[in-house]
Amino acid sequence: MKKNQIFLGILILILMVVFANHLFTRDAKLPLFLITGLMLGYVFTRSRYGFAGSVRKIYFTGNGALTRALLLMFAISIIATAGIHYGAAQKGAVAAFKAGEGDAVIPGSGFVQPASLATIIGGIIFGIGMIFGGCCASGTLTDVGEGEARAWIVVPFFGIGGIIGAMHSSWWKESVFQKAGVQVYLPDVFGYIGAVLVSLILLLLIYIFTKKYEEKRQKEETYIDEVYEEWQKPLPKAENYKFFSKETYHKFFVERWSFTTGAVLTALIFVFIINTTGSSWGASGPYTLWSIWLLQKLGISFSSEALQGFVDTVNNGLMNHTVSIRNIGIIFGSAIAMLLAGNFKFNFNFKLKDIIFYAIGGILMGYGARVAGGCNAGALYSGIANFSLSGWFFLVAMTIGGVIGSKLYLNIFPEDAPVKIKVKDS
């Protein structure tokens, strides 16, 4: 443990408090987005919890612990949001896509997107990209905060993919891929209790499949159990334990949390976001904004009508954009977690050909998210938890894309697979 990092972590935490106070003077809701971002980043890093690993980890190791934790997170979120949605509906609120002028909107229902062929295609593209890029939309942010230089490459190219996707958005909207779909809010079909039960049954089926697959890999002797890094493990019990001791500090700030802990805490933060903002969690939009900002600084202008909304948002100031603030919070939350643990380090362990694949992965994720209407956070998590049929479409598509991406990478670089596609949980 590098003790000087602990003081740096505390300093950054204090600076985040100062930053939150500054944001409050501009817009009272901005600090809330920063705080939830910090919490998400801290939780993801302490528990090594994320979405891309639910596909990559089980594919390469046969270990479905992270996948099962995600299913628990979905279950908790579904039950909680059902109460929020039902309470709002009882007061006359309606799903966002059905709301007219003056209608109250059910919190989080803005993430009920059309379930279409575009959702499937975009999800597959995104899934392939997250394997090539080494992480998903939220995982890229945590990796940036943890010092993974790979993620610094993925970020701008994720945004470039989003720019290209936005420029193609009118074509997709007019294509059969988008039109051959339906926008379904599950409570409209099954009622709120029925929607919860159907969702939980689907999660149970995935859980059973995951357990069966684990058993298959164990029989084939290709199963690799979860291994914590040495510094993440609990310390031996002290003979004369004192509360104010290195053992206590290690327990609270260093020792790795379980996937289950990550799942429960993420679900609680997710519900908190819906309750306090009236919206849900998404992460992919700011990537496009950040890349436009960067390209503008490099002298590139954007005249496309499809990008005008993004350009206006950038010109209004990224520090006024709520989701950008939350994403920044995720980055710093992860950095604080690593610094307080005294184990922050920069990782530049990659070659030129890896950079090419990270760039391709970023572009595919950005483009896929634009086509599908969101990423692992918005299209998948917020979709399923807010009872959108599209969320289940995206889940299947992202999983297929993840498997395809894994097979492609192994075929192209079989000698690099054990090192470059390491079993990482973000």
Side-chain angles (χ1 to χ4, degrees):
M1 178 189 292
K2 300 176 182 177
K3 293 183 180 180
N4 60 320
Q5 290 191 3
I6 296 174
F7 295 106
L8 181 57
I10 294 172
L11 175 61
I12 292 177
L13 185 58
I14 293 172
L15 291 175
M16 287 296 103
V17 174
V18 174
F19 183 43
N21 184 65
H22 169 70
L23 291 173
F24 183 80
T25 62
R26 301 168 66 175
D27 188 333
K29 65 176 180 253
L30 288 175
L32 186 62
F33 283 80
L34 178 65
I35 292 168
T36 51
L38 289 168
M39 290 191 295
L40 285 169
Y42 188 85
V43 168
F44 289 162
T45 292
R46 280 296 301 275
S47 56
R48 312 306 296 160
Y49 186 78
F51 294 82
S54 65
V55 179
R56 186 171 58 247
K57 175 178 279 292
I58 195 170
Y59 181 84
F60 286 107
T61 71
N63 188 321
L66 178 54
T67 305
R68 286 184 271 112
L70 281 167
L71 296 176
L72 173 63
M73 178 193 73
F74 285 138
I76 295 172
S77 303
I78 285 167
I79 293 170
T81 53
I84 297 171
H85 284 215
Y86 178 76
Q90 289 297 102
K91 296 178 181 179
V94 297
F97 70 96
K98 297 195 293 185
E101 187 176 349
D103 287 335
V105 174
I106 295 173
S109 65
F111 284 76
V112 179
Q113 300 292 324
S116 65
L117 290 173
T119 309
I120 297 293
I121 295 170
I124 291 174
I125 293 172
F126 183 90
I128 296 172
M130 75 180 186
I131 298 300
F132 284 10
C135 44
C136 57
S138 55
T140 299
L141 299 171
T142 59
D143 281 355
V144 168
E146 292 171 18
E148 293 285 345
R150 164 185 50 77
W152 305 346
I153 299 166
V154 174
V155 168
F157 284 98
F158 194 126
I160 290 172
I163 292 172
I164 298 171
M167 294 177 69
H168 292 170
S169 60
S170 59
W171 182 88
W172 281 100
K173 287 179 181 178
E174 296 301 320
S175 72
V176 66
F177 303 110
Q178 184 70 58
K179 290 183 176 180
V182 289
Q183 195 164 8
V184 178
Y185 179 55
L186 295 181
D188 288 343
V189 180
F190 302 105
Y192 283 96
I193 294 177
V196 171
L197 291 176
V198 168
S199 299
L200 294 181
I201 289 171
L202 290 173
L203 293 177
L204 177 61
L205 291 175
I206 299 172
Y207 176 85
I208 293 171
F209 174 82
T210 301
K211 291 295 290 183
K212 293 292 184 182
Y213 183 74
E214 284 184 299
E215 293 170 3
K216 174 179 178 292
R217 292 289 294 268
Q218 287 170 344
K219 289 178 181 178
E220 295 173 349
E221 297 185 349
T222 58
Y223 179 90
I224 302 174
D225 206 354
E226 182 70 23
V227 178
Y228 288 10
E229 293 183 48
E230 200 60 38
W231 65 270
Q232 296 175 326
K233 297 178 181 178
L235 292 178
K237 289 186 177 180
E239 291 184 8
N240 299 310
Y241 172 74
K242 295 181 180 179
F243 182 77
F244 294 101
S245 63
K246 68 176 183 180
E247 287 81 13
T248 300
Y249 186 88
H250 185 88
K251 184 69 176 178
F252 279 92
F253 297 103
V254 182
E255 185 178 317
R256 177 172 162 176
W257 291 342
S258 68
F259 290 144
T260 300
T261 300
V264 172
L265 292 176
T266 302
L268 291 176
I269 298 169
F270 179 82
V271 174
F272 178 79
I273 288 172
I274 294 179
N275 269 322
T276 55
T277 67
S279 185
S280 197
W281 178 36
S284 62
Y287 285 97
T288 304
L289 299 173
W290 296 351
S291 288
I292 288 177
W293 176 87
L294 177 61
L295 292 171
Q296 283 184 330
K297 294 299 181 183
L298 295 174
I300 298 174
S301 60
F302 297 90
S303 58
S304 171
E305 186 177 342
L307 296 175
Q308 192 57 51
F310 296 98
V311 172
D312 290 343
T313 300
V314 171
N315 292 339
N316 187 48
L318 291 177
M319 292 301 100
N320 295 317
H321 186 246
T322 54
V323 185
S324 285
I325 292 296
R326 180 184 291 141
N327 281 7
I328 291 170
I330 292 174
I331 292 172
F332 280 99
S334 295
I336 289 169
M338 294 300 289
L339 289 168
L340 292 181
N343 275 282
F344 179 91
K345 58 183 177 181
F346 292 105
N347 180 14
F348 294 92
N349 184 27
F350 51 78
K351 301 175 183 177
L352 177 59
K353 64 180 180 181
D354 301 316
I355 293 175
I356 295 172
F357 265 79
Y358 299 151
I360 293 173
I363 290 172
L364 290 176
M365 280 195 286
Y367 192 86
R370 188 59 53 190
V371 173
C375 60
N376 55 285
L380 174 61
Y381 187 12
S382 288
I384 288 177
N386 289 292
F387 304 106
S388 177
L389 179 62
S390 64
W392 296 99
F393 274 46
F394 190 87
L395 172 62
V396 173
M398 188 190 78
T399 303
I400 293 172
V403 173
I404 292 173
S406 299
K407 289 181 179 292
L408 285 173
Y409 200 106
L410 286 175
N411 288 331
I412 297 170
F413 297 116
E415 73 283 1
D416 289 348
V419 177
K420 300 305 177 186
I421 303 188
K422 56 186 177 180
V423 180
K424 189 174 182 299
D425 313 316
S426 63

